[in-house]
Amino acid sequence: MQLTGSQIFWEVLMQQGVDVVFGYPGGAIMPIYDALYDVEGKIHHVLVRHEENAALAADAYWRATGRVGVCMATSGPGATNLVTGIANAMMDSSAIVAITGQVASHLVGSDAFQETDMTGITQPITKHNYLVTDINDLARVLVEAFHIAKAGRPGPVLVDICKDVQQKMTEYVPVTEVNLRGYKAAKPPKKQEMPRLLSQAAQLIAAARKPIILAGQGIKHADAHAEFIEFVEKSGIPVTTTLLGIGVLNEDHPQNLRMMGMHGEAYVNNAIADADLLIALGMRFDDRVTGNLKYYAKNAQVIHVDIDPSEIGKNVPADVGICASVKDVLRDLTPMIENHAGGYRAWYARINEWRGDTKAHDVMAYELPPNMMLAPQVIRAIWEETGGDITVCTDVGQHQMWETQYFQHRRKNQLITSGGAGTMGFALPAAIGAKFGRPQDEVWAIAGDGGFQMSIPELQTVMQEKLNIKIAVINNSFLGMVRQWQELMHDRRYSSVNMTSPNFVKLAEAYGMCGMRATNVAEAREVIQRAREHNGPVLMEFVVEQETNVFPMVQPGKALNEMTRREKVPLPAAMGGGMEGVRE
Amino acid sequence: MLIDRIEASKNPTKHTLVALVENEPGVLNRVSSLFRRRNFNIDSLAVGTTNDPTVSRMTIVVDTSKTNAALVERNLYKLVNVIDVQDLSAVPAVLREMALIKVHVADNQKRSEIKQVIDLFEAQMVDMTPNSIMVELTGNEEKVDSIIKMLEEYGIKEVVRTGRIAMARG
Ligand SMILES: Cc1ncc(C[n+]2csc(CCOP(=O)(O)OP(=O)(O)O)c2C)c(N)n1
């Protein structure tokens, strides 16, 4: 069959099972958009209002479905606008394929109109990238791109397609096999090494008195939930998760201590600091979870399982490092360990001792003046009113951390958030991508007033696509997280963190969207209820106390268990001074 | 024969990796960009073709006093265009470097002295003008270092070294 490069492009996407793409057209990608005209109905194109949001939506689509997200843009500024979203996908190991148009192949290198060296720019923020200058490479390259994006540790792949390649014709032969001799999704330990590593791991587990499991999103990527729960329950070992690991184990589970790290609860970080064995599964010891490495888990031996060989030993030396899929490792390791369900009594008692004072440090325990609402109360209200049975897309900042603390995640993979990159403006485009991935689900975007103002234009995408998503803006009139750092580390010298906002209710109306506002908890509950009853998108503004801090906090450079915590109640009922953190 | 036959580098902080990579445009850039991004300290990188026209061979010397060679190896593996990585520090291997050295020749007396040095090192004289000699030498880095040191007193005009290339024995 003779097809143009553009037709081949869509053929391959359909072959890969793609049914939605997020993008924005322009000169160098017009032939592909022209060919899209003929396949609309089979593949839906979502016209975002800024290319960055196409990449973020594609990323969230992947997180919501496990299917590769696709975004596309024209050359030059369209392509460079994708960059933040691609970097976000790289940091969080999201499988996306980013397609960019490029100037015609004979013009490459000539500074032609809207020419930008995209393979150069994205080299450090993609798993791999391609510049396609020959139509006969196109189908193979696209198939490889989808394969590489998903294989092993997932990540973004960029395919930059010259305009003449899109226009030329060739005989299309579907590519069904990927033949990449160099690419090993993982570098598995040699066959004979595996049993030795597993028995070493089993021995360490048998000898440990104070073990703890550090669970990351590698468990999700390996589709190892079942193997993980079996391992957790048979071992009896307490579990803590990374931010992106939230959702690999029900947070109601008695062994789940919940999130660790910079804003993890104190008892979790204390447990890690005191542990004699860390069992790290599909996580990478990011600085946000370790604090100062010099003092990190000094008494612990480390078992580290990750599919990416370069993560093992990168930040924390492993006593037993296993480069393999968590699924395969747990399947073989669980039968090798003793049944310890209900065990580690003394260890749990220790942890529970630390846990005991958590409530007293909780901002929720404070007596608040009437008509004052705290951001954590909004999160708690959303959780309670929805029964927690929603997909949550958070932005970046204080509200993101409160979401982890005050929303009890019981559903698999229900939280979609930007972890490694911390990309403000993530929540709304992520909710758009997630809604396409989970159309039956109730999807919420929760953002701060700062981050939301980075993605306001996408409100119109929501309207154009008639997406029923609920958008909660938590308005503290500050770039809250930066303000908190300035308060705690820069002597309260508030520099460029005051955030004014438009009238969000009127803004919603201008977009033809339902808008509501709440300034106290009773109103908040009512707004949430009404928003859920409303059959369509809603923009909710929650006006909250401006200078509440997220605690506990491991300040940069501090040891993980050297946390700044909120003063215990009882306290002066008035706010202000009482909200300050104290060093433990 | 002087200073030869010292195959394994005497310097324990120099670690040799060999990467077989696709012979395609941009691959060298991917490898060097990886080193820059990961802040790896690389002493030398020598690239050339092999008997298979689709494969290039890179010899990479890592300064292990600053950089963990195992991490370099594992990161190289992640590159799609890298076919195989061998760690030659763990096995008996031949390590070689080639150098071209242009030495100043002041008079006939110096010329014959320089020729003696060349003979002593089993180097070659590959070019000669009334006031210069170009020397070609192949050996390990210590040998190259030594001849350069010897020739320095005559006045070195130019030096080029290929960086280490290596191959496992057997
Ligand atoms: C694109 C981008 N720019 C800047 C930052 C740095 N940053 C991290 S949190 C934050 C403040 C966020 O404020 P807001 O969106 O109002 O949320 P809050 O912290 O108040 O909940 C900033 C500026 C970032 N993470 N991303």
Side-chain angles (χ1 to χ4, degrees), chain A residues 90 123-124 127-130 148 153 180-184 187 308-310 312-314, chain B residues 22 29-30 33 36-38 52 54-55 71 73-75 77-83:
Chain A
M90 186 69 173
Q123 196 159 287
K127 251 183 109 172
H128 194 53
N129 61 24
Y130 295 91
I148 292 169
R153 178 176 180 176
L180 287 165
R181 58 177 166 176
Y183 183 63
K184 290 157 210 73
K187 190 193 168 211
D308 180 348
S310 70
I312 293 172
K314 184 181 80 177
Chain B
E22 301 283 354
N29 185 240
R30 287 179 199 277
S33 154
R36 178 191 52 75
R37 178 164 93 83
R38 294 282 176 196
D52 179 345
T54 67
V55 176
L71 279 186
E73 182 184 350
R74 292 172 192 164
N75 274 285
Y77 259 110
K78 289 174 67 175
L79 296 179
V80 173
N81 301 119
V82 173
I83 302 162

Side-chain angles (χ1 to χ4, degrees), chain A residues 396-399 422-424 448-451 454 476 478-482:
Chain A
V396 171
Q398 292 184 308
H399 68 279
T423 306
M424 276 174 74
D449 44 326
M454 285 193 177
N476 54 12
F478 274 115
L479 290 173
M481 189 56 96
V482 179

Side-chain angles (χ1 to χ4, degrees), chain A residues 480-498:
Chain A
M481 189 56 96
V482 179
R483 184 208 56 74
Q484 170 169 345
W485 283 45
Q486 289 178 351
E487 176 186 331
L488 299 177
M489 292 173 252
H490 297 273
D491 229 4
R492 226 165 175 272
R493 286 152 52 93
Y494 286 172
S495 175
S496 297
V497 289
N498 282 296

